[in-house]
Amino acid sequence: MNNLDSYPPILRHLSHPRHHSPDGGDPIHEEDPDPLPLIDLQCLTHDMKMKKAFEEACKHWGLFRLVNHGVPSTLLTQLQDQAKHLFSLSFESKQASCSSANPVTYFWGTPALTSSGTALTTAPQNINWVEGFNMPLAHLSPFQSQLPQLHSFRDSVVEYGEHMSRIGRRLFEAMVKNLDLNIEASSSYVAENSGIMRIYRYPNCSNSNVGLGMEVHTDSSVLSILSQENEVSGLELLKDHQWLTVKPISNTLIVNLGDMMQAISDEKYKSVTHRVKLNCERERISICYFVFPDEDLQIQSSKYRPFSYKEFRAKVQQDIKTVGYKVGLPRFQHTHHSLN
């Protein structure tokens, strides 16, 4: 099968440029040395230098590399290989394998999904050049697929999800300690049953004007943990009004803080603004774990009125449908005025 036929029809035509709205930054050269903070998970609780580096990364970056994370390199490689085989299947077979009754959903053209994993309606001019699978970890074990590739991938994702849950809890507990927060049930803020795995594929494209793989955004999560083992660049973060490439390095994970962590920390920590550009030579596959608070847990902050993640998610989805984009945390600020 031609590789182009494995993509959704709308992603098979990458020759139509579209206008970009201002994105808030200028590109930075990829040849520049990699300045991203590097955090060693094994040293996080007892090494004072590492604890300080972790605090600085959360305050000033909202994103860092994670090493010594305990995830076997063989599992990371296996996930990438299985994802590549899964995405290489025909569009029709991928679409048919994820019916409305299944917890695993297949999406394309937008990263904005409902709580059930289906894509929110987006206008054609706002297309994101991405396809993916949405996999809620709490519902994966009983999931059966007619596609052998998806079935075997599910088994690997379940194992990987256990590692992600462990890492997410440990990082959040370290942040709570650094912030001196009075949180007794930290597990409610990184709820294991909220964990979602999303597997993305971005086509390669030599036309830089065609659009973005994923539009400029912040994550709604507490934490997001990314694996980009196929070593194809594309992820960029906004730092000091410049777009900085997050270079892929084998056997390291990328952790970024989301909106919920910014609110929980009373804005001491930042939810990082990022985007994905299309690679001109190779398609890019990435695997991202998102973790959220319990849906009805009330987030308390001096910067925002009390709200739950369930309320936040509903408002985000409403804004995407009505104003065309995610407003996010500003909706919950004490001084916020309604947007038209």
Side-chain angles (χ1 to χ4, degrees):
M1 183 185 65
N2 187 317
N3 183 55
L4 198 61
D5 294 333
S6 69
Y7 282 96
I10 199 171
L11 301 187
R12 296 174 191 172
H13 311 286
L14 298 179
S15 58
H16 305 293
R18 69 175 172 88
H19 173 71
H20 285 307
S21 59
D23 53 24
D26 301 313
I28 194 166
H29 298 297
E30 291 195 28
E31 300 82 30
D32 293 342
D34 179 26
L36 264 63
L38 184 69
I39 304 301
D40 186 324
L41 187 62
Q42 291 186 1
C43 299
L44 189 56
T45 56
H46 61 272
D47 186 310
M48 291 304 298
K49 185 177 180 181
M50 186 56 61
K51 290 169 75 172
K52 183 177 179 181
F54 180 61
E55 176 77 353
E56 291 296 306
C58 294
K59 280 185 175 180
H60 303 298
W61 287 80
L63 181 147
F64 52 86
R65 297 191 186 279
L66 191 69
V67 297
N68 287 330
H69 42 66
V71 183
S73 60
T74 52
L75 178 58
L76 293 173
T77 302
Q78 178 177 296
L79 280 165
Q80 282 287 337
D81 290 343
Q82 289 176 329
K84 182 178 180 180
H85 291 144
L86 181 59
F87 280 122
S88 70
L89 300 174
S90 70
F91 165 69
E92 291 76 15
S93 63
K94 288 180 289 190
Q95 188 179 29
S97 70
C98 298
S99 67
S100 58
N102 290 332
V104 176
T105 55
Y106 174 58
F107 61 92
W108 61 91
T110 176
L113 308 179
T114 67
S115 57
S116 61
T118 57
L120 289 166
T121 303
T122 56
Q125 64 268 26
N126 293 328
I127 187 173
N128 290 241
W129 298 97
V130 63
E131 66 170 325
F133 288 91
N134 182 76
M135 310 180 80
L137 293 172
H139 304 291
L140 277 190
S141 294
F143 170 65
Q144 300 293 326
S145 174
Q146 295 178 343
L147 281 178
Q149 294 89 343
L150 184 54
H151 189 78
S152 60
F153 186 60
R154 179 212 66 177
D155 294 339
S156 299
V157 168
V158 169
E159 180 183 354
Y160 183 64
E162 293 173 353
H163 286 286
M164 293 297 99
S165 180
R166 166 183 58 82
I167 293 170
R169 287 195 307 271
R170 189 165 178 186
L171 291 174
F172 183 74
E173 288 168 0
M175 287 188 284
V176 167
K177 188 173 182 179
N178 284 347
L179 292 164
D180 196 26
L181 297 178
N182 184 23
I183 291 179
E184 295 181 1
S186 61
S187 60
S188 299
Y189 288 82
V190 281
E192 190 169 353
N193 63 359
S194 76
I196 294 174
M197 205 76 71
R198 286 188 185 160
I199 299 85
Y200 302 106
R201 181 172 73 155
Y202 305 90
N204 62 294
C205 181
S206 58
N207 184 355
S208 61
N209 293 319
V210 75
L212 292 170
M214 194 173 293
E215 62 194 0
V216 178
H217 68 287
T218 61
D219 290 346
S220 297
S221 58
V222 176
L223 293 170
S224 307
I225 306 176
L226 180 75
S227 169
Q228 43 184 5
E229 282 295 296
N230 72 335
E231 301 186 8
V232 179
S233 64
L235 176 64
E236 296 182 339
L237 71 97
L238 188 62
K239 172 69 172 168
D240 299 328
H241 307 291
Q242 286 188 314
W243 285 108
L244 184 65
T245 298
V246 181
K247 300 175 183 178
I249 299 176
S250 182
N251 204 33
T252 69
L253 299 172
I254 299 297
V255 179
N256 71 265
L257 309 188
D259 300 336
M260 294 302 98
M261 193 64 231
Q262 179 170 315
I264 292 167
S265 70
D266 220 20
E267 294 191 353
K268 294 181 177 68
Y269 293 170
K270 63 179 293 183
S271 178
V272 65
T273 299
H274 54 291
R275 68 183 184 183
V276 177
K277 294 190 72 176
L278 299 179
N279 190 281
C280 63
E281 297 179 352
R282 296 171 58 193
E283 67 180 20
R284 177 175 180 266
I285 293 175
S286 64
I287 300 171
C288 195
Y289 167 80
F290 302 89
V291 66
F292 306 88
D294 281 334
E295 284 198 343
D296 295 319
L297 179 72
Q298 289 290 301
I299 306 298
Q300 304 288 339
S301 168
S302 68
K303 309 292 185 181
Y304 308 97
R305 63 176 176 82
F307 67 92
S308 67
Y309 173 67
K310 184 177 182 180
E311 183 181 0
F312 180 87
R313 181 182 62 201
K315 181 60 70 174
V316 167
Q317 293 178 6
Q318 180 185 358
D319 283 336
I320 290 173
K321 290 179 179 179
T322 56
V323 301
Y325 58 91
K326 169 186 170 180
V327 178
L329 284 174
R331 284 288 192 202
F332 298 88
Q333 288 176 335
H334 289 299
T335 57
H336 176 74
H337 298 288
S338 297
L339 299 177
N340 294 321

